[in-house]
Amino acid sequence: MQPKANTPVETSQPSVALVSHQSSLQTSLLAHLISHELNIECPIVELSTFSQLKTTFALVDCQHHRREDLAKWLHDCQDSEDAPIIALFNVTPHSEHEDLLAWPCVHGLFHTTSSQELLLQGLNQLLSGEYWLPRRLLHHFLQSRRPPVFNPIAEKLTKRERQILTLIREGATNANIANMLFVSEHTVKSHLYNVYKKIGVKNRLEACNWARVHIPET
């Protein structure tokens, strides 16, 4: 039985959604080029309709989107259950759109000066799970790195002990913790006894205050 013409057929073939505010001749030609050269589907969509597609890769045209609108969209994408891989293109060098690289779901960026050959090469890398950034921006982000705060006491905690400290910081009781972690209250108390000894506190309040300082919020 043949599927109806208007029935979407799911496929495992990779695809790239070209996210643009307007479907111009230039946008259509670019979508055709990507589809032809990379042998993948490349539909043209708007920000508001991207989530309706079955693709997890978006190539976003920054020339027709304000930074504020893209930041809000990236926030929503980042919080989604399956955050898509996103690459920005038509980015003016040294513009505020470059700051959007701070979002973890943004894996690539192409400037307005990038050639078609460079764009295709970068998309190939991104589809393979790599990152693609201009050398200047890569250098900038590497330079701005800071060493993470290292706490030797916190490093000694087990994963379960960290979970319990986090829940204590959020105000959970032993009964709450037992229910959330599917363990008995006796087990929770045993973990707390070990935690108190490791971090050098005497009671729950001190443990809660310690966790607020030393256990990062997720």
Side-chain angles (χ1 to χ4, degrees), residues 140-201:
H140 168 74
F141 274 88
L142 289 177
Q143 271 195 324
S144 63
R145 287 185 301 175
R146 295 291 181 271
V149 176
F150 177 77
N151 187 309
I153 297 177
E155 292 296 320
K156 293 180 181 179
L157 297 173
T158 65
K159 182 179 179 180
R160 179 65 83 193
E161 289 167 348
R162 285 171 176 271
Q163 285 179 315
I164 291 175
L165 272 175
T166 300
L167 292 171
I168 286 177
R169 183 184 61 199
E170 295 172 356
T173 65
N174 285 357
N176 296 148
I177 296 172
N179 288 332
M180 285 185 276
L181 300 183
F182 302 102
V183 296
S184 68
E185 286 191 55
H186 175 75
T187 300
V188 174
K189 291 178 181 178
S190 296
H191 281 305
L192 281 176
Y193 175 76
N194 292 330
V195 167
Y196 290 173
K197 289 196 339 183
K198 285 184 179 181
I199 66 178
V201 301

Side-chain angles (χ1 to χ4, degrees), residues 1-181:
M1 179 178 177
Q2 294 294 326
K4 295 180 180 180
N6 61 350
T7 302
V9 179
E10 294 188 16
T11 174
S12 59
Q13 183 182 14
S15 62
V16 174
L18 185 55
V19 183
S20 183
H21 184 63
Q22 58 183 16
S23 183
S24 62
L25 175 60
Q26 181 183 16
T27 305
S28 299
L29 290 174
L30 178 58
H32 176 75
L33 175 71
I34 293 173
S35 179
H36 180 266
E37 294 295 328
L38 301 183
N39 192 30
I40 58 175
E41 295 181 4
C42 187
I44 301 172
V45 298
E46 295 189 359
L47 286 179
S48 58
T49 57
F50 172 77
S51 60
Q52 300 173 16
L53 295 180
K54 295 297 182 181
T55 181
T56 57
F57 193 110
L59 180 61
V60 184
D61 187 353
C62 290
Q63 201 168 45
H64 299 115
H65 293 103
R66 297 187 310 160
R67 181 195 175 280
E68 293 77 12
D69 294 334
L70 287 178
K72 181 181 182 304
W73 181 72
L74 289 170
H75 175 271
D76 294 340
C77 287
Q78 192 67 48
D79 284 348
S80 63
E81 185 175 348
D82 297 312
I85 294 174
I86 295 169
L88 309 174
F89 81 105
N90 269 343
V91 178
T92 302
H94 302 284
S95 70
E96 59 181 5
H97 281 85
E98 290 183 344
D99 297 337
L100 296 172
L101 278 174
W103 290 95
C105 57
V106 178
H107 288 204
L109 184 146
F110 303 90
H111 283 132
T112 50
T113 53
S114 299
S115 65
Q116 290 183 351
E117 291 75 14
L118 195 65
L119 177 63
L120 293 172
Q121 182 183 353
L123 286 177
N124 255 325
Q125 290 289 102
L126 290 163
L127 287 167
S128 299
E130 303 292 334
Y131 288 78
W132 185 271
L133 298 177
R135 186 180 298 273
R136 173 179 60 82
L137 292 178
L138 179 61
H139 180 70
H140 168 74
F141 274 88
L142 289 177
Q143 271 195 324
S144 63
R145 287 185 301 175
R146 295 291 181 271
V149 176
F150 177 77
N151 187 309
I153 297 177
E155 292 296 320
K156 293 180 181 179
L157 297 173
T158 65
K159 182 179 179 180
R160 179 65 83 193
E161 289 167 348
R162 285 171 176 271
Q163 285 179 315
I164 291 175
L165 272 175
T166 300
L167 292 171
I168 286 177
R169 183 184 61 199
E170 295 172 356
T173 65
N174 285 357
N176 296 148
I177 296 172
N179 288 332
M180 285 185 276
L181 300 183

